[in-house]
Amino acid sequence: MTLHVDLEVFQQTYKLKIEHAMLDFVNERDMPSTIRDAMIYSLQAGGKRIRPILLLAVIEGYGKEIRSGMKTAAALEMIHTYSLIHDDLPSMDDDDLRRGKPTNHKVFGEAMAILAGDGLLTHSFQLIAEDDLISSNQKIKLLSLLAKCAGPEGMVGGQVADIEGENKRLTVDELESIHVRKTGKLLIFSALAGAIISGASEEEQNKLENFAHHIGLAFQIQDDILDIEGAEELIGKRTGSDESKQKSTYPGLLSMEGAKGKLQFHLDEALASLADLNMDTALLEQIAYLIVNRNH
Amino acid sequence: MTLHVDLEVFQQTYKLKIEHAMLDFVNERDMPSTIRDAMIYSLQAGGKRIRPILLLAVIEGYGKEIRSGMKTAAALEMIHTYSLIHDDLPSMDDDDLRRGKPTNHKVFGEAMAILAGDGLLTHSFQLIAEDDLISSNQKIKLLSLLAKCAGPEGMVGGQVADIEGENKRLTVDELESIHVRKTGKLLIFSALAGAIISGASEEEQNKLENFAHHIGLAFQIQDDILDIEGAEELIGKRTGSDESKQKSTYPGLLSMEGAKGKLQFHLDEALASLADLNMDTALLEQIAYLIVNRNH
């Protein structure tokens, strides 16, 4: 067991390295400057980098070398960034602001925003395929899992279901199934990728998958709560936007009290999944609390 | 040496198998039915399937098992299909018809067309990563090369340069550099993927890359010629569309006679690249002639 690491310190250190890894990759490639600028604009838009931090926290917990996960972490954040660019488009959520800054298509136009998203999605697979620090077999496992979690079976399918769920009153199960795909699968990839890179057993992987599943749902419930309770300046976008789009939310279906109870349930389940793992789980526990206690 | 195969027979046989491989993959996955329908609509829109046929023709030429290339061939056609869906969008080329049928966003709406493209792009990497008939090392080579040829360094970068070149008078070199990226790189992937799957040497790969480079340019010059000379009913879209978008074309820059001369030059270069290859090049020769002589 290593000494317990503080998540804030860990996040500060590796956020910068993840950002460098993404920018280095994009800057080293030969491409038209417009799309490079458009991709870099969104890669630099900030954020907590919670997915790659989770991936690296699993590797740290297993006492393995963090640098062996750096390219996969960067690839993962690129996929997340592409999904935000496409989700913000006028034909999708039609958002003008993202983290307080104009969205990609507001700055670069719709065509370039679509292509910047396509470029980041493609680059993310390239980054993993070209990683020298992990084996071909690990790369294939990661690439296959990433495609499954990000594609129509996962995140892209979740966005489809989310669009189709607008202006409908969903059941809690339907809402949960949308979130499991739209945000949950990529969090599951984050945890499993850390485990694959660390060489963890299948049993360990199952527990980590369960952990990620529950923090994913907790994340989304907290998002819905913040959409109602959060202050506009803190989350950098209009609050109450779910309501104005007639989207089903946890507080809307369960009342605010019910939603907070469900949040606590998923936090408890997530923490319970960490028992009996052959690793130092301190960072993962802190990640779970961070998701529940965040105010933006 | 096997007996020389007729391209038309080869194409008839394998076109169907490629289409089945794509549809089987999409149908076997669990996803919302709307995005499945949207992806399948464009996968079934027909076309010559020239890229996967080229890939399989290289494997046939080396006397290797065609089935070992089938998933990569399907992945390649999925990437091509995604690029057509995104290129047709209102913010890009704004095309209502593709091969005589309404474009994807005309049928499924813009949001779904963007997501169907994202889904096909992601699936194409998944298809290769999950292929059981080739080694992990071959898969990594293919995935890395596919991302490079399809992403901002290749096809996506070409689309960016193409958009930026509208309403400008380009030089022939600038026009060629756009086409090398926009259509050339994916044809180069086609030929190289066949070589990688066949275990061909680097020297052989270089010759095949050169062949694909020249047939790619010949393809584009013939496209420009057909845009002026082709009959509307044959190519299934409005002719003269380049002119109406103020796009630079080979006939526009070089005169029709000059463009036809350049087409012949690239055909000659392509055929010359096939000399001294350790394979039966009959199918590849026929592919080169097909590109130059096609009337749609």
Side-chain angles (χ1 to χ4, degrees):
Chain A
M1 283 293 176
T2 53
L3 267 183
H4 282 188
V5 182
D6 179 64
L7 179 61
E8 209 171 313
V9 174
F10 188 81
Q11 201 169 12
Q12 284 299 331
T13 310
Y14 290 110
K15 247 182 78 150
L16 285 175
K17 294 199 177 187
I18 293 156
E19 283 160 16
H20 282 152
M22 296 191 294
L23 295 185
D24 284 354
F25 188 83
V26 171
N27 278 318
E28 279 162 12
R29 311 279 142 176
D30 174 34
M31 68 184 77
S33 59
T34 346
I35 187 166
R36 192 197 306 279
D37 293 346
M39 293 196 296
I40 287 178
Y41 176 81
S42 289
L43 291 175
Q44 287 185 319
K48 292 174 285 300
R49 315 294 189 188
I50 195 79
R51 293 159 191 79
I53 290 292
L54 171 56
L55 188 160
L56 297 181
V58 171
I59 298 179
E60 175 78 10
Y62 280 116
K64 303 286 178 182
E65 283 215 69
I66 291 279
R67 66 190 192 107
S68 61
M70 196 53 71
K71 291 209 168 159
T72 307
L76 171 59
E77 189 66 10
M78 277 188 181
I79 288 242
H80 174 59
T81 304
Y82 121 76
S83 78
L84 299 181
I85 296 174
H86 281 193
D87 283 4
D88 286 338
L89 286 167
S91 61
M92 306 253 202
D93 292 348
D94 194 16
D95 274 317
D96 296 348
L97 287 177
R98 162 76 60 188
R99 297 184 187 122
K101 287 172 67 180
T103 46
N104 198 291
H105 64 272
K106 281 282 155 189
V107 180
F108 297 95
E110 231 178 299
M112 200 55 64
I114 294 169
L115 290 164
D118 294 346
L120 287 170
L121 173 55
T122 309
H123 268 171
S124 66
F125 291 104
Q126 194 172 358
L127 235 170
I128 296 175
E130 294 178 2
D131 189 349
D132 292 333
L133 298 176
I134 51 177
S135 72
S136 289
N137 281 335
Q138 283 174 313
K139 288 194 252 191
I140 290 301
K141 273 188 201 159
L142 292 169
L143 288 163
S144 164
L145 185 65
L146 180 59
K148 202 173 153 67
C149 291
E153 297 167 90
M155 186 180 71
V156 165
Q159 174 68 0
V160 170
D162 192 24
I163 292 172
E164 293 181 333
E166 282 179 30
N167 304 312
K168 271 185 210 161
R169 188 175 167 90
L170 304 174
T171 64
V172 175
D173 282 353
E174 286 168 338
L175 184 63
E176 185 164 308
S177 136
I178 290 173
H179 292 316
V180 164
R181 287 184 150 169
K182 190 172 171 179
T183 55
K185 292 289 183 189
L186 218 52
L187 279 162
I188 287 174
F189 174 80
S190 312
L192 287 182
I196 290 167
I197 293 167
S198 304
S201 71
E202 213 157 298
E203 199 191 330
E204 297 271 305
Q205 289 185 32
N206 291 340
K207 288 177 192 163
L208 284 166
E209 178 168 352
N210 203 42
F211 170 76
H213 171 79
H214 287 291
I215 64 166
L217 285 169
F219 187 90
Q220 197 54 52
I221 296 168
Q222 179 65 356
D223 228 38
D224 284 358
I225 292 171
L226 286 172
D227 192 68
I228 293 169
E229 293 187 344
E232 183 158 348
E233 59 274 25
L234 269 176
I235 70 169
K237 61 175 180 181
R238 294 185 312 280
T239 51
S241 65
D242 291 336
E243 209 177 349
S244 69
K245 280 175 197 148
Q246 304 275 330
K247 285 197 176 181
S248 297
T249 65
Y250 286 96
L253 295 178
L254 297 172
S255 82
M256 185 56 84
E257 204 191 324
K260 288 184 177 174
K262 208 165 176 63
L263 179 65
Q264 186 63 46
F265 166 77
H266 288 297
L267 173 64
D268 293 343
E269 287 292 311
L271 295 174
S273 316
L274 296 179
D276 309 322
L277 274 170
N278 287 320
M279 68 185 295
D280 179 346
T281 58
L283 281 172
L284 302 187
E285 281 165 37
Q286 292 173 72
I287 288 174
Y289 283 113
L290 174 74
I291 282 174
V292 173
N293 295 326
R294 73 200 163 99
N295 57 4
H296 63 284
Chain B
M1 283 293 174
T2 53
L3 268 182
H4 282 189
V5 183
D6 179 63
L7 179 62
E8 210 170 314
V9 175
F10 187 81
Q11 200 169 13
Q12 285 299 331
T13 310
Y14 290 110
K15 245 182 79 150
L16 285 175
K17 293 199 176 187
I18 293 156
E19 283 160 16
H20 282 152
M22 295 191 295
L23 296 184
D24 284 353
F25 188 83
V26 172
N27 278 319
E28 279 162 12
R29 310 279 144 175
D30 173 34
M31 67 184 79
S33 60
T34 345
I35 187 166
R36 193 198 305 279
D37 293 346
M39 293 195 295
I40 286 177
Y41 176 81
S42 289
L43 290 175
Q44 287 185 321
K48 291 173 288 296
R49 315 292 189 189
I50 195 79
R51 292 159 194 78
I53 289 294
L54 170 57
L55 188 160
L56 298 180
V58 171
I59 297 178
E60 174 78 10
Y62 281 115
K64 303 287 178 182
E65 283 214 70
I66 292 280
R67 66 190 192 107
S68 61
M70 197 53 74
K71 290 207 168 161
T72 306
L76 172 58
E77 190 66 9
M78 276 189 183
I79 286 243
H80 174 60
T81 305
Y82 120 76
S83 78
L84 299 180
I85 296 174
H86 281 193
D87 284 3
D88 286 338
L89 287 167
S91 61
M92 306 252 204
D93 293 348
D94 194 16
D95 274 318
D96 296 348
L97 288 177
R98 162 77 60 188
R99 297 184 187 122
K101 287 173 67 180
T103 45
N104 197 290
H105 64 271
K106 282 281 155 191
V107 180
F108 297 94
E110 228 177 301
M112 201 56 65
I114 294 169
L115 290 164
D118 294 346
L120 288 169
L121 173 56
T122 309
H123 268 170
S124 67
F125 291 104
Q126 194 173 359
L127 235 170
I128 296 175
E130 294 178 2
D131 189 348
D132 292 333
L133 298 176
I134 51 177
S135 71
S136 288
N137 281 335
Q138 282 175 313
K139 287 195 252 191
I140 290 300
K141 274 187 201 162
L142 293 168
L143 288 164
S144 163
L145 185 64
L146 180 58
K148 203 174 152 67
C149 291
E153 297 167 89
M155 186 180 71
V156 164
Q159 174 69 357
V160 171
D162 192 23
I163 291 172
E164 294 181 332
E166 282 179 30
N167 305 312
K168 273 187 209 159
R169 189 173 168 89
L170 303 174
T171 65
V172 175
D173 282 353
E174 286 168 337
L175 184 63
E176 185 164 308
S177 135
I178 291 173
H179 292 315
V180 164
R181 287 184 149 169
K182 190 172 171 178
T183 55
K185 292 289 183 189
L186 217 52
L187 279 162
I188 287 174
F189 175 80
S190 313
L192 287 182
I196 290 167
I197 293 167
S198 303
S201 71
E202 213 156 299
E203 200 191 330
E204 297 271 304
Q205 289 185 32
N206 290 341
K207 288 177 191 164
L208 284 166
E209 177 168 351
N210 202 43
F211 170 76
H213 171 80
H214 288 291
I215 63 166
L217 285 169
F219 187 91
Q220 197 54 53
I221 296 168
Q222 179 65 355
D223 228 39
D224 284 357
I225 292 170
L226 287 171
D227 193 68
I228 293 169
E229 292 187 345
E232 182 158 347
E233 58 274 26
L234 270 176
I235 68 170
K237 60 175 180 181
R238 296 185 310 280
T239 51
S241 63
D242 292 336
E243 209 177 350
S244 69
K245 282 177 199 148
Q246 305 275 330
K247 285 197 177 184
S248 298
T249 66
Y250 286 96
L253 295 179
L254 297 171
S255 83
M256 185 56 85
E257 204 191 325
K260 288 184 176 172
K262 207 164 175 64
L263 178 65
Q264 186 63 46
F265 166 78
H266 288 296
L267 174 63
D268 293 343
E269 288 291 312
L271 295 173
S273 318
L274 297 179
D276 310 321
L277 274 170
N278 288 320
M279 67 184 294
D280 181 344
T281 58
L283 280 172
L284 302 187
E285 281 166 35
Q286 291 173 75
I287 288 174
Y289 283 113
L290 174 75
I291 281 173
V292 173
N293 296 326
R294 73 200 163 99
N295 57 4
H296 63 285

